[in-house]
């Protein structure tokens, strides 16, 4: 494996590789041709996004099977919009609007008569809209009509399934453009701050741009021809991941290239060595993240599977761009691109004493105390994860209440809460009457209504209105009881409440299934990379501890600062996969350099030299990645905001505590046993004592 990594990493840096001006020009020309030729496909990614309800449901869930069965009932399926009127004259206003709404209906459908509330303060009508691409436009038009016709003193809101769908689509429609613009701006600013050069920051950004186009094209082609699941959520996260990971790789490569420019006059030779020495770490990092995300393919929830598989495609494309486009751009532009801090041959690559050398010296003086304190800090934060409230209602899914949520609140105040979104039971027509009677007898059911039949008459639907709000725990209990009542008759229960219940249970199953697979995969990669057992186990343990600390710290922010009512069911699993994959990323960067230096200088000096050499670049990379994910915090969808906060905090913990203090302290405290049973473990003990003494004397001198 090590030989394979080295061989792949050195390929672009060979004498006639991408470091050579001619080959560099050819590489850039090839990328430009591919981008121009395939670029139009990138814009078609939205065409293959699955926005159906099943895109966010567990595979094989009963509610998903109901959605599939409902497709048999009509060739032009409808989605109901519920118009809620409150105030004096609500019923009269609802009756007057029926005529104006008629133009929005598909053939053969009609607006329901006004349904007054028992308290006489509200009325509602159900408007069936065609389930097609333009349904959101129809809802917008419906809202305009209802608002324009409302008399003084009457408030009108449009909700129901069609209203909820429209509000959700509105969030995701702006997601891609908002995230891309905000992420690009954040990365550009941070690169300017990092390099303090008016030109250099453009090269990583340009390389990431090529990676973004390749990612979108590859994702579109895989979705169109290979069945890759893509939804608006995964497509939005994809660009943030590509920008963050791609920039990290750019920072690592440029830092190593700058080092080699201080040692070599020939920039092609400097790039060859930079790629040969940093390439295995970048490749191992990309492989770890991609394989870790791909483990989400074992999840039941379709949206989690989509996010993992699409993210893996993005990481691979980011890797390809960073080891081809970026080296070519750096070599072709020459040393001047670093102006005003141009690296000159023969000058030191860094100052004799840096922040990171001082940190390393402090850790080396008391390594055991350092890692114990680090574990204590992360452990205290992790304790906060014990009090997490899991689950969000529909009203709690948005940072700002959309109209559909307000409509549901109005319905809950004046009607049985489930009136706007009843459960749907699909049954064989011969047993429909029996199913209706069984459903009506279930506690928590307000009323049962007849639904539709399939054209062949074999299947029928039964609409079951629940007494409680569709997204409440009481409604979920009613769904369980309803399923128990109708399953003996071969009926299936679906609808929004059933979908929420199925998703919650699938999230628990996915945690138990995916997490062990991710841990095993990452452990294998680390063992193969480091040629040891102890170090990989400890590194993995630090990342897991960091995840729980990030989860606890995020929960404190969610509860006491951001005011979120709870944590979405998908966050623990997705956060774990992202943080383990991305967190181990920085450990790979650090330990690959430590291993290289330990082979040259001995274990103790190698740990400190690795920390000093990579401290600046890994810190910059961590800040960039955390900042890109922090962009999510400003989105209106609470789930996305929680994902951004959790990953951002986790990356910062990995950057400033785990990689800076905890891992080096553990390595120093364990000595050569850290590398057991690898070659570095078998290094002569006398040599280790000699290098340790040198470090101690150096630390004392630096303290003075």
């Amino acid at each position: 494996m090590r030989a394979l990594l080295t061989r792949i990493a050195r390929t672009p840096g060979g004498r006639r590789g991408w470091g050579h001006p001619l080959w560099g020009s050819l590489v850039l020309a090839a990328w430009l041709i591919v981008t121009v030729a395939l670029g139009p496909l990138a814009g078609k990614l939205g065409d293959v996004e699955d926005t159906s309800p099943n895109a966010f449901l567990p595979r094989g869930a009963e509610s998903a099977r109901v959605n599939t069965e409902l497709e048999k009932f009509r060739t032009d399926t409808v989605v109901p919009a519920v118009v809620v009127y409150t105030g004096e004259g609500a019923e009269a206003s609802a009756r007057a609007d029926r005529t104006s709404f008629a133009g929005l209906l598909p053939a053969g459908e009609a607006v329901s008569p006004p349904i007054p509330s028992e308290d006489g303060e509200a009325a509602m009508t159900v408007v069936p809209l065609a389930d097609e691409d333009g349904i959101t436009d129809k809802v917008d038009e419906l809202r305009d009509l209802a608002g324009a016709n409302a008399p003084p003193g009457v408030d009108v809101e449009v909700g129901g399934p069609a209203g909820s769908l429209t509000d959700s689509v509105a969030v995701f429609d702006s997601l891609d453009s908002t995230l891309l613009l905000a992420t690009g701006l954040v990365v550009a600013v941070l690169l300017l701050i990092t390099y303090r050069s008016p030109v250099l920051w453009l090269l990583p950004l340009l390389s990431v741009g090529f990676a973004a186009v390749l990612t979108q094209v590859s994702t579109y082609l895989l979705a169109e021809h290979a069945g890759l699941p893509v939804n608006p959520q995964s497509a939005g996260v994809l660009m943030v991941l590509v920008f963050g990971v791609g920039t990290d790789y750019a920072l690592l490569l440029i830092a190593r290239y700058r080092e080699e420019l201080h040692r070599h006059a020939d920039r092609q030779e400097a790039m060859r060595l930079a790629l040969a020495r940093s390439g295995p770490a970048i490749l191992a990092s990309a492989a770890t993240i991609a394989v870790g995300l791909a483990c989400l393919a074992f999840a039941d929830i379709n949206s989690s599977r989509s996010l993992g598989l699409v993210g893996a495609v993005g990481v691979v494309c980011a890797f390809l761009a960073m080891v081809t486009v970026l080296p070519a751009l750096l070599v072709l532009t020459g040393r001047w691109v670093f102006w005003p801090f141009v690296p000159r041959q023969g000058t030191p690559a860094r100052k004799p004493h840096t922040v990171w050398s001082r940190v390393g010296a402090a850790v080396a003086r008391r390594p055991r105390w350092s890692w114990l304190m680090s574990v204590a800090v992360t452990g205290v934060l992790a304790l906060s994860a014990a009090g997490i409230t899991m689950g969000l209602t529909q009203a709690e899914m948005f940072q700002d209440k959309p109209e559909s949520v307000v409509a549901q609140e109005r319905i809950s105040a004046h009607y049985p809460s489930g009136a706007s979104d009843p459960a749907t039971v699909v049954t064989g027509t011969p047993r429909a009457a029996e199913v209706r009677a069984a459903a009506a007898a279930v506690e928590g059911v307000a009323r049962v209504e007849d639904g539709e039949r399939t054209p062949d008459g074999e299947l029928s639907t039964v609409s079951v209105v629940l007494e409680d709000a569709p997204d409440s725990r009481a409604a979920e209990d009613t769904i369980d009881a309803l399923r128990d009542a109708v399953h003996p008759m071969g009926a299936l229960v679906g609808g929004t409440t059933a979908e929420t219940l199925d998703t919650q249970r699938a999230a628990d199953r996915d945690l138990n299934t995916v997490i062990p697979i991710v841990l095993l995969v990452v452990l294998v990669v680390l063992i193969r990379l480091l040629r040891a057992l102890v170090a990989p186990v400890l590194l993995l343990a630090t990342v897991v501890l960091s995840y729980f600390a990030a989860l606890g710290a995020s929960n404190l922010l969610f509860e006491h600062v951001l005011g979120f009512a709870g944590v979405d069911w998908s966050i623990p699993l997705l956060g774990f996969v992202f943080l383990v994959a991305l967190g181990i990323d920085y450990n790979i960067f650090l330990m690959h350099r430590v291993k290289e230096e330990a082979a040259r200088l001995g274990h103790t000096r190698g740990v400190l030299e690795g920390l000093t050499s990579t401290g600046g670049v890994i810190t910059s990379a961590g800040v960039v990645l955390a900042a890109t994910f922090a962009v999510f915090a400003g989105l209106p969808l609470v789930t996305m905001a929680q994902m951004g906060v959790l990953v951002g905090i986790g990356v910062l913990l990995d950057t400033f505590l785990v990689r800076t203090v905890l891992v080096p302290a553990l390595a120093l405290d364990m000595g050569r046993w850290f590398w057991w049973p690898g070659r570095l473990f078998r290094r002569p003990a006398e040599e280790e004592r000699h290098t340790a003494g040198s470090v101690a004397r150096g630390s004392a001198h630096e303290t003075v």
Side-chain angles (χ1 to χ4, degrees):
M1 179 68 172
R2 180 171 177 271
L4 176 62
L5 288 171
T6 304
R7 195 159 53 245
I8 293 175
R10 285 179 177 171
T11 299
R15 296 283 182 189
R16 298 190 61 194
W18 297 323
H20 191 280
L22 175 60
W23 284 96
S25 300
L26 291 176
V27 167
L28 289 179
W31 272 94
L32 286 171
I33 291 171
V34 169
T35 301
V36 172
L38 299 180
L41 295 179
K44 299 177 68 175
L45 181 58
D47 296 344
V48 295
E49 291 178 5
D50 184 3
T51 57
S52 68
N54 284 0
F56 297 89
L57 294 179
R59 292 179 292 178
E62 183 171 341
S63 55
R65 291 160 57 197
V66 168
N67 290 334
T68 302
E69 290 295 310
L70 289 177
E71 295 176 3
K72 301 176 181 179
F73 282 77
R74 293 179 59 91
T75 55
D76 54 341
T77 56
V78 295
V79 178
V82 179
V83 187
V84 187
Y85 302 80
T86 53
E88 188 175 349
E91 186 175 355
S93 182
R95 188 175 293 107
D97 279 348
R98 291 187 68 199
T99 303
S100 60
F101 295 162
L104 303 176
L105 307 181
E109 297 293 338
V111 180
S112 73
I115 306 171
S117 61
E118 291 185 3
D119 58 15
E121 296 179 1
M124 69 177 180
T125 58
V126 179
V127 182
L129 300 176
D131 183 10
E132 56 188 21
D133 292 339
I135 187 173
T136 56
D137 294 333
K138 293 290 187 184
V139 171
D140 290 338
E141 189 175 351
L142 179 63
R143 285 171 170 169
D144 291 339
L145 287 172
N149 297 336
V154 175
D155 294 323
V156 185
E157 284 84 27
V158 177
S164 297
L165 174 63
T166 299
D167 291 334
S168 298
V169 169
V171 171
F172 287 114
D173 275 349
S174 61
L175 185 64
D176 289 349
S177 57
T178 302
L179 282 179
L180 190 59
L181 180 62
T183 303
L185 182 62
V186 166
V187 170
V189 170
L190 291 175
L191 287 174
L192 272 169
I193 295 172
T194 300
Y195 291 127
R196 293 170 290 167
S197 167
V199 180
L200 181 57
W201 67 278
L202 288 169
L203 303 191
L205 208 58
L206 184 59
S207 303
V208 171
F210 279 108
V213 173
L214 179 63
T215 298
Q216 290 181 318
V217 170
S218 301
T219 304
Y220 168 76
L221 292 175
L222 289 171
E224 181 72 11
H225 303 291
L228 178 69
V230 182
N231 60 54
Q233 181 188 46
S234 60
V237 174
L238 178 61
M239 287 299 98
V240 174
L241 185 63
V242 170
F243 266 80
V245 171
T247 305
D248 276 7
Y249 297 158
L251 288 167
L252 186 68
L253 178 59
I254 291 174
R256 197 60 188 257
Y257 177 52
R258 189 201 293 264
E259 277 189 50
E260 300 302 334
L261 286 175
H262 282 281
R263 301 188 183 106
H264 303 278
D266 185 354
R267 65 180 186 269
Q268 298 169 37
E269 177 68 7
M271 179 55 71
R272 184 186 72 80
L273 291 171
L275 278 167
R277 290 170 179 171
S278 64
I282 295 175
L283 177 58
S285 166
T288 302
I289 298 175
V291 174
L293 292 177
C295 289
L296 283 169
F298 294 97
D300 279 341
I301 300 176
N302 288 324
S303 55
S304 298
R305 296 176 59 246
S306 173
L307 189 58
L309 294 173
V310 169
V313 173
V315 171
V316 171
C317 292
F319 167 77
L320 292 175
M322 291 305 115
V323 297
T324 55
V325 177
L326 184 59
L329 288 172
L330 288 169
V331 172
L332 288 174
T333 52
R335 294 174 185 262
W336 70 268
V337 78
F338 289 91
W339 185 87
F341 305 99
V342 179
R344 304 293 183 187
Q345 183 196 11
T347 60
R350 64 174 184 268
K351 296 178 182 179
H353 302 299
T354 66
V355 171
W356 304 108
S357 66
R358 294 186 180 94
V359 170
V363 171
R365 284 194 296 272
R366 301 183 67 184
R368 184 163 300 175
W369 183 89
S370 297
W371 71 257
L372 284 174
M373 288 300 100
S374 299
V375 170
V377 170
T378 51
V380 169
L381 290 175
L383 289 176
S384 301
I388 286 182
T389 300
M390 295 301 303
L392 296 170
T393 65
Q394 184 68 23
E396 296 163 350
M397 291 293 289
F398 299 91
Q399 300 209 52
D400 297 315
K401 287 183 183 179
E403 186 172 336
S404 58
V405 171
V406 177
Q408 177 58 48
E409 291 177 346
R410 305 278 195 206
I411 293 170
S412 298
H414 300 283
Y415 296 87
S417 297
S420 67
D421 197 359
T424 300
V425 180
V426 177
T427 180
T429 300
R431 306 197 70 173
E434 188 179 355
V435 167
R436 284 195 299 271
V442 173
E443 184 178 356
V445 171
R447 64 177 182 270
V448 178
E449 302 169 349
D450 288 333
E452 298 174 292
R453 288 190 181 186
T454 54
D456 60 12
E458 291 187 1
L459 296 177
S460 296
T461 63
V462 175
S463 182
V464 181
V465 177
L466 308 182
E467 293 178 351
D468 302 290
D471 50 13
S472 66
R473 180 63 214 172
E476 293 173 2
D477 292 339
T478 303
I479 290 295
D480 277 333
L482 182 60
R483 284 176 168 172
D484 290 340
V486 302
H487 278 177
M489 303 156 208
L492 300 174
V493 178
T496 301
T497 307
E499 292 173 357
T500 301
L501 185 62
D502 291 341
T503 301
Q504 292 174 4
R505 290 173 176 168
D508 288 338
R509 292 195 302 270
D510 287 348
L511 278 171
N512 295 328
T513 301
V514 176
I515 285 180
I517 297 174
V518 172
L519 292 176
L520 180 61
V521 166
V522 173
L523 181 62
V524 169
V525 172
L526 288 175
I527 290 173
R528 300 292 291 180
L529 178 69
L530 300 178
R531 296 289 184 174
L533 288 178
V534 173
V537 170
L538 289 177
L539 292 177
L540 199 57
T542 63
V543 173
V544 173
L545 179 61
S546 175
Y547 161 75
F548 282 108
L551 189 61
S554 298
N555 184 52
L556 292 176
L557 283 177
F558 297 158
E559 185 175 347
H560 300 293
V561 178
L562 300 176
F564 297 152
V567 177
D568 187 72
W569 288 97
S570 64
I571 294 301
L573 175 62
L574 296 181
F576 180 87
V577 173
F578 270 91
L579 282 180
V580 168
L582 296 173
I584 211 69
D585 194 33
Y586 298 126
N587 280 332
I588 287 175
F589 291 165
L590 171 65
M591 297 313 299
H592 183 267
R593 186 61 181 265
V594 166
K595 186 182 179 186
E596 176 185 331
E597 299 297 343
R600 184 171 64 92
L601 303 171
H603 173 73
T604 304
R605 288 181 60 192
V607 171
L608 298 182
E609 179 63 23
L611 174 61
T612 303
S613 300
T614 63
V617 63
I618 294 181
T619 298
S620 298
V623 170
V624 168
L625 190 61
T628 53
F629 272 91
V631 171
F632 286 136
L635 295 178
L637 200 62
V638 169
T639 302
M640 302 292 282
Q642 290 181 339
M643 169 68 78
V645 170
L646 176 59
V647 175
I649 290 176
V651 168
L652 291 177
L653 281 173
D654 282 326
T655 302
F656 290 102
L657 183 61
V658 174
R659 187 268 315 164
T660 303
V661 179
L662 179 54
V663 170
L666 281 170
L668 290 171
D669 193 24
M670 296 197 66
R672 63 192 183 95
W673 282 94
F674 189 75
W675 301 105
W676 185 87
R679 182 175 57 84
L680 290 176
F681 166 74
R682 299 190 295 272
R683 190 181 182 95
E686 294 79 6
E687 186 176 351
E688 287 300 327
R689 284 194 293 270
H690 172 72
T691 56
S694 299
V695 171
R697 289 191 295 273
S699 299
H701 174 73
E702 186 168 315
T703 303
V704 174

